[in-house]
C-alpha cells in the first residue's frame, strides 16, 4: 500500500529579548505568518530596487512561549506517532545564540525549563508505563559531528553495542546507520536522562562575542523504540526511532570575531549548513533525480530524516534584534524551503520468521503428544484434539469433586488437553482451600504487623509473644504476672492507625495463614482473648497513674540503673509516648481525630452533592417532558403575550432553583473542607515526624550513648542534648545526596514527575565531582609534601562543639 504523503512541518521560535525590533518584525493575526520590513538606505540614491519587505508562511510562530507550550506544539504528536511505529525527526536550526540548545535540551538546573529531549523521554516512558498489550524496549545513542568527524558522546559509558572500529555512516536496505556508534539500553526515564546529561558534559563548546556557550558541533540524540505485541511477541515487531537534532549555529565572522580554533570550527559549521541547504533545495525540486546526500557527514546521517519515510519537524530559532535581521531572513528562507519537502511516513513492522517456526513447532509437539496418548488408550472409541468445550470442562470439574470425595476411584482421560484441564482445576481447588484456611485463622487469631511497634509492645505486655515475636504457650503465660492490655476500641484504633501509616510507607508485612500455622503446632498455644481486655485496661490505667505519681529520679541514678542491653525499639517507643513524648502524642491524636472528622464530613457533603446533581437531572428531564407536552397540546398566553404554565411545571422550576442554590452552598462547603483537610493532614504529618525524631534522639541518649559521654550531656556540659549521636558528625560539608534531598522537598510537590530528572542530574554531578577529586589526589601524589588548604581541611576532620 502506498504511504500517504506529508509535508515537513516548520515552526519559528523567537528568542525573547529586551531589544525586540517591533518595527522590523511583524507577526500575522493567525500566528502562522511573519513579515520583515527594512527601511531603504538613503545613501544608495533615489534609484534603489533592493527588496525591503518579505512575508513567510509557516506552521506556527512561537513568541514568548514556555518550554511546555513549545513541546506541546512541536513534538508531542510526533513522539506519540513514534510509539506506534513511525520514525520522527525534530531539528533546531538558526544562527548562533538564537536558543537552539535551550529549545532542544533546556536548562538542566531547572525542571520546568527542560527542553524537548527530556520531555520526549518522559512522554515515551509514561506511555510504556500505561501500555498493557506490548513489550517495549528503549535504547539511546548520542552522536556528535565536530569538524566533519563523527564522535560518540557516550563512549565513556559501558555498553554492549560499543566497539573499537572507526565510526562511519553506512547505507543499508533498512536505512542509514552509524557504524561504531554505541547504543545503550535503558529501563527507565532516569537512566535515559543520565545518558543525556553525561553526553552534554562531553560536547564541544566555545565562547565568542555572540554566545558565551556556543555549540561547536552538530549533535543527534536518538531514541530507538522496539515494541512487541504480547500475544505475538516472537513474530511481529514494530521498530521506530526519534532523531532529536541540535545543529550548530551559523555565524558571520565579522560579528563573532572568531580566531584560531574557533575560526576553524566556524568554517566547518558554515560549510556543513551550506550543504544542508543545498540538499533541502534539491529535495524540494520534483525534477531532481539525484540528491547529493554524501556531500557532508551531516547530510549523509540525515538522509532518512529529510527525504525518507519519516515525520519531520523543523524549529527555526531567530533573534528579535534589528542587528541580526539578515541572519533572521536566512533562517526564515530555510524554514520555508523545508515546508516544500514531502515525506512518506510508514509504520516499520517486521515479522520474525524464526518466531513463526517456533510457534508451529510447539503446536506440532502438542499434537504429537495427543496422538501418542490416543495410541496408548486404544480402548477409547473417540478422541477429540480440539479445545475443550464448556460442557467438557464442567464434566471434568464434576469428576474431580467426585474423586476428592471418594465416590470414584479414577478420572476418565481421553486426550492431553484433558490432563492440562485436570491440573488447572486441582490448582483452583488448592487456592480456594488456602483462602478458606486463612479466613478461618483470621477469625480466630489477631494478626499483628511485624512493623507495628505499638501492637507488638501491647502483645508483649499481655505475655502473648516474647521479645523475639514468637507466640508463647499457655503454661508460659500462666507463670507470668497478670498482663495489662488496652480496651478493644483503643486497640482497634491503634491497629488501624499503624496500618494506614505502613500502607503509605510500603512496608506492610502481615502474618499469613501459613505463618500462623507454623507458630501454632498444638492447642496449648494461646490467642488474644477479647473478653478480658476491659479488665486489663483498668489495671493498666492504675499502673500508669502510680508511675505518674512517683517523683522523678536524679539523672545520675537513672544512668546507673540503665539496663546492660537496650530494650527493643517497640517497647522503648511505648515508654517514650507515655513519658517524654506524651504531649506530642496527645497533640498527634487530637489532630488525627480532627482530620478524620473533616474527612467524614467531606464524604457526607460529596454524597449529598451527587444526590442533588441526580435530582437536578431528573427535574430537567421532567421539565423537558412538560414543555414537549405543552407544545403538542398548544401554548396559552395572557393579554400581555406572556406564556402561561401549569402549577406542576411551576413547582418543578422552583424546586430546580432551590436545588441549584443548595448545590452551590454544598460545593462551597466541600471546597472549604478540602482546604481544611489538607491543612490538618499537614499538621498530622508534622506531628508524626516530630514524634519519631524526638523518639530517636531520646532512644539514642537513653540507651546508645557510651558512659564516658554522659557527663557531656549534663546541663553544665558543652554539647547540646539531642545532637548525639549524629549520623554524619564527621562530615564537614553537605554532600550531593543531602543537597538533592533538600531540593526534593522544595521542588517535588510542584512537579511530582520531576524525580527522575533531578536524580539523573545528581548522579551526573556526583560522577564528575568524583572524577575531579581523583584528579586532585593524583596531583597530590605527584607532589609529595605539598598539601593544599582544602586537602588539609579534609585530611583532619574534627567535631566543633560549642
Amino acid at each position: 500500500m502506498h504511504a500517504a504523503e506529508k509535508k515537513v512541518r516548520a515552526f519559528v521560535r523567537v528568542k525573547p529579548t529586551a531589544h525586540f525590533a517591533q518595527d522590523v518584525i511583524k507577526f500575522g493575526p493567525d500566528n502562522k505568518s511573519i513579515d520583515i520590513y527594512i527601511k531603504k538606505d538613503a545613501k544608495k540614491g533615489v534609484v534603489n530596487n533592493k527588496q525591503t519587505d518579505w512575508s513567510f508562511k509557516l506552521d506556527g510562530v512561537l513568541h514568548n512561549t514556555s518550554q511546555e507550550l513549545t513541546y506541546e506544539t512541536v513534538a508531542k504528536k510526533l513522539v506519540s506517532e513514534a510509539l506506534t511505529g513511525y520514525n520522527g525527526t525534530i531539528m533546531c536550526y538558526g544562527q548562533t545564540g538564537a536558543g537552539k540548545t535551550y529549545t532542544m535540551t533546556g536548562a538542566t538546573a531547572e525542571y520546568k525549563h527542560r527542553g524537548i529531549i527530556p520531555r520526549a523521554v518522559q512522554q515515551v516512558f509514561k506511555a510504556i508505563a500505561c501500555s498493557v498489550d506490548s513489550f517495549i524496549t528503549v535504547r539511546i545513542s548520542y552522536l556528535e559531528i565536530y569538524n566533519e568527524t563523527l564522535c560518540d558522546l557516550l563512549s565513556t559509558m559501558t555498553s554492549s553495542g560499543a566497539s573499537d572500529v572507526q565510526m562511519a555512516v553506512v547505507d543499508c536496505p533498512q536505512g542509514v546507520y552509524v557504524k561504531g556508534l554505541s547504543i545503550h539500553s535503558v529501563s527507565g526515564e532516569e537512566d535515559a536522562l543520565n545518558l543525556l546529561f553525561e553526553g552534554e558534559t562531553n560536547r564541544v563548546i566555545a565562547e565568542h562575542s555572540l554566545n558565551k556557550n556556543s555549540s561547536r558541533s552538530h549533535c543527534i540524540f536518538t531514541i530507538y523504540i522496539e515494541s512487541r505485541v504480547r500475544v505475538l511477541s516472537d513474530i511481529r515487531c514494530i521498530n521506530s526511532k526519534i532523531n532529536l537534532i541540535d545543529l550548530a549555529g551559523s555565524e558571520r565572522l565579522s560579528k563573532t570575531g572568531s580566531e584560531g580554533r574557533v575560526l576553524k570550527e566556524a568554517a566547518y559549521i558554515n560549510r556543513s549548513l551550506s550543504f544542508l541547504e543545498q540538499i533541502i533545495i534539491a529535495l524540494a525540486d520534483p525534477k531532481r533525480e539525484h540528491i547529493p546526500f554524501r556531500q557532508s557527514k551531516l547530510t549523509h546521517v540525515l538522509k532518512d530524516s529529510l527525504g525518507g519515510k519519516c515525520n519531520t519537524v523543523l524549529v527555526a530559532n531567530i533573534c528579535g534584534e534589528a542587528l541580526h535581521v539578515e541572519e533572521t531572513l536566512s533562517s526564515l528562507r530555510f524554514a520555508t524551503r523545508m515546508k516544500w519537502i514531502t515525506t512518506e511516513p510508514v509504520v516499520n513492522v517486521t515479522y520474525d520468521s524464526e518466531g513463526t517456526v517456533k510457534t508451529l513447532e510447539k503446536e506440532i509437539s502438542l499434537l504429537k503428544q495427543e496422538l501418542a496418548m490416543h495410541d496408548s488408550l486404544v480402548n477409547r472409541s473417540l478422541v477429540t484434539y480440539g479445545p475443550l468445550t464448556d460442557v467438557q470442562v464442567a464434566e471434568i470439574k464434576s469428576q474431580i469433586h467426585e474423586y476428592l470425595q471418594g465416590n470414584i476411584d479414577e478420572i476418565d482421560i481421553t486426550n492431553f488437553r484433558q490432563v492440562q484441564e485436570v491440573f488447572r482445576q486441582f490448582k483452583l481447588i488448592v487456592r480456594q482451600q488456602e483462602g478458606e484456611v486463612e479466613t478461618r485463622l483470621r477469625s480466630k487469631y489477631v494478626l499483628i504487623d511485624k512493623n507495628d511497634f505499638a501492637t507488638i509492645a501491647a502483645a508483649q505486655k499481655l505475655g502473648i509473644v516474647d521479645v523475639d515475636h514468637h507466640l508463647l504457650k499457655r503454661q508460659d503465660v500462666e507463670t507470668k504476672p497478670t498482663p495489662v492490655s488496652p480496651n478493644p476500641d483503643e486497640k482497634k484504633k491503634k491497629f488501624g492507625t499503624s496500618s494506614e501509616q505502613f500502607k503509605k510507607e510500603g512496608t506492610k508485612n502481615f502474618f499469613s495463614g501459613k505463618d500462623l500455622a507454623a507458630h501454632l503446632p498444638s492447642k496449648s498455644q494461646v490467642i488474644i482473648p477479647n473478653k478480658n481486655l476491659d479488665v486489663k485496661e483498668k489495671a493498666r490505667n492504675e499502673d500508669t497513674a502510680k508511675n505518674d505519681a512517683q517523683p522523678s529520679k536524679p539523672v545520675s541514678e537513672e544512668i546507673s540503673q540503665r539496663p546492660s542491653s537496650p530494650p527493643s525499639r517497640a517497647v522503648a517507643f511505648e515508654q517514650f509516648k507515655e513519658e517524654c513524648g506524651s504531649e506530642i502524642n496527645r497533640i498527634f491524636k487530637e489532630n488525627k481525630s480532627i482530620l478524620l472528622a473533616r474527612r467524614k464530613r467531606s464524604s457526607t457533603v460529596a454524597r449529598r452533592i451527587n444526590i442533588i446533581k441526580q435530582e437536578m437531572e431528573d427535574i430537567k428531564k421532567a421539565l423537558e417532558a412538560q414543555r414537549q407536552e405543552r407544545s403538542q397540546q398548544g401554548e396559552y398566553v395572557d393579554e400581555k403575550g406572556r406564556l402561561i404554565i401549569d402549577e406542576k411545571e411551576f413547582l418543578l422550576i422552583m424546586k430546580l432553583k432551590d436545588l441549584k442554590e443548595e448545590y452551590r452552598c454544598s460545593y462551597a462547603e466541600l471546597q472549604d473542607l478540602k482546604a481544611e483537610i489538607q491543612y490538618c493532614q499537614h499538621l498530622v504529618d508534622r506531628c508524626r515526624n516530630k514524634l519519631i525524631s524526638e523518639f530517636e534522639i531520646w532512644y539514642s541518649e537513653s540507651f546508645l550513648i557510651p558512659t564516658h559521654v554522659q557527663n557531656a550531656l549534663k546541663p553544665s556540659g558543652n554539647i547540646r542534648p539531642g545532637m548525639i549521636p549524629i549520623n554524619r558528625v564527621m562530615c564537614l560539608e553537605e554532600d550531593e545526596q543531602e543537597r538533592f534531598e533538600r531540593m526534593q522537598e522544595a521542588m517535588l510537590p510542584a512537579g511530582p514527575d520531576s524525580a527522575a530528572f533531578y536524580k539523573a542530574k545528581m548522579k551526573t554531578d556526583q560522577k564528575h565531582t568524583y572524577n575531579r577529586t581523583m584528579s586532585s589526589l593524583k596531583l597530590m601524589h605527584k607532589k609529595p609534601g605539598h598539601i593544599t588548604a582544602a586537602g588539609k581541611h579534609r585530611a583532619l576532620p574534627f567535631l566543633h562543639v560549642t
Side-chain angles (χ1 to χ4, degrees), residues 177-242:
Y177 74 96
V178 179
K179 183 180 180 182
L181 179 65
S182 62
I183 301 178
H184 304 256
S185 297
V186 291
S187 58
E189 179 184 351
E190 184 180 341
D191 295 339
L193 292 176
N194 277 332
L195 297 176
L196 171 64
F197 295 147
E198 179 66 22
E200 286 296 309
T201 58
N202 296 329
R203 289 186 63 173
V204 179
I205 60 174
E207 180 179 356
H208 52 69
S209 59
L210 293 182
N211 193 354
K212 292 183 178 180
N213 296 301
S214 176
S215 300
R216 313 309 296 166
S217 60
H218 311 295
C219 291
I220 303 173
F221 185 89
T222 307
I223 305 173
Y224 304 86
I225 303 172
E226 181 178 291
S227 176
R228 294 181 180 271
V229 182
R230 295 180 185 273
V231 179
L232 306 172
S233 59
D234 296 333
I235 302 174
R236 189 172 183 266
C237 178
I238 298 176
N239 297 285
S240 62
K241 65 180 180 179
I242 307 172

Side-chain angles (χ1 to χ4, degrees), residues 568-579:
S568 65
R569 287 184 175 269
V571 177
F573 188 64
E574 288 299 312
Q575 181 182 352
F576 171 75
K577 288 197 295 183
E578 294 175 358
E579 297 174 0

Side-chain angles (χ1 to χ4, degrees), residues 94-96 208-210 216 249-258 263 266-267 269-270 323-331 333:
Q95 75 174 104
T96 182
H208 52 69
S209 59
L210 293 182
R216 313 309 296 166
S250 60
E251 53 192 53
R252 292 179 183 267
L253 301 181
S254 59
K255 292 184 178 181
T256 60
S258 302
L263 178 62
I269 292 170
N270 289 336
L323 176 65
H324 304 296
V325 66
E326 294 180 359
E327 289 82 0
T328 298
L329 284 171
S330 177
S331 299
R333 290 192 188 100

Side-chain angles (χ1 to χ4, degrees), residues 465-482:
V465 297
D466 58 11
V467 293
D468 296 326
H469 302 171
H470 295 302
L471 290 174
L472 299 176
K473 294 184 179 180
R474 185 178 297 276
Q475 53 266 29
D476 296 334
V477 179
E478 292 174 353
T479 58
K480 295 186 177 182
T482 303

Side-chain angles (χ1 to χ4, degrees), residues 513-685:
K514 296 180 180 179
D515 296 331
L516 286 174
H519 287 293
L520 298 172
S522 66
K523 294 183 179 181
S524 62
Q525 292 180 344
V526 301
I527 60 175
I528 300 179
N530 294 325
K531 60 183 179 180
N532 297 327
L533 291 180
D534 295 333
V535 179
K536 293 175 181 178
E537 171 61 19
K538 293 180 181 179
R540 182 173 181 268
N541 293 335
E542 293 176 359
D543 292 342
T544 304
K546 292 179 181 179
N547 292 335
D548 295 338
Q550 293 179 355
S552 59
K553 297 181 181 181
V555 178
S556 60
E557 185 177 354
E558 290 180 358
I559 295 174
S560 63
Q561 295 180 359
R562 192 171 64 170
S564 58
S565 60
S568 65
R569 287 184 175 269
V571 177
F573 188 64
E574 288 299 312
Q575 181 182 352
F576 171 75
K577 288 197 295 183
E578 294 175 358
E579 297 174 0
C580 300
S582 59
E583 182 65 17
I584 303 176
N585 190 35
R586 181 187 63 80
I587 297 173
F588 172 72
K589 289 182 178 179
E590 289 180 359
N591 289 337
K592 189 159 188 180
S593 63
I594 294 173
L595 175 62
L596 294 177
R598 294 293 187 275
R599 285 180 174 172
K600 185 176 180 181
R601 176 58 184 167
S602 174
S603 178
T604 304
V605 173
R607 286 196 298 269
R608 178 56 186 161
I609 288 175
N610 292 331
I611 293 173
I612 293 173
K613 288 175 66 177
Q614 185 61 41
E615 291 180 359
M616 290 171 61
E617 293 294 331
D618 296 340
I619 291 176
K620 288 179 180 178
K621 291 180 181 178
L623 281 172
E624 184 63 27
Q626 287 283 339
R627 292 188 181 112
Q628 291 180 358
E629 183 180 356
R630 188 178 65 243
S631 62
Q632 292 175 358
Q633 295 177 358
E635 297 180 345
Y636 297 94
V637 295
D638 57 8
E639 60 276 3
K640 295 182 178 181
R642 292 176 297 185
L643 184 66
I644 300 175
I645 60 175
D646 58 6
E647 182 180 0
K648 182 178 180 182
E649 186 174 353
F650 176 76
L651 292 176
L652 288 175
I653 293 174
M654 296 304 297
K655 187 175 181 181
L656 180 62
K657 182 179 180 181
D658 294 339
L659 287 174
K660 287 183 177 179
E661 182 64 26
E662 185 179 357
Y663 177 83
R664 282 193 292 267
C665 296
S666 300
Y667 185 78
E669 182 183 0
L670 181 62
Q671 295 300 317
D672 295 339
L673 285 172
K674 286 183 178 179
E676 291 182 15
I677 289 172
Q678 184 177 5
Y679 179 71
C680 291
Q681 183 65 55
H682 175 67
L683 293 180
V684 169
D685 294 339

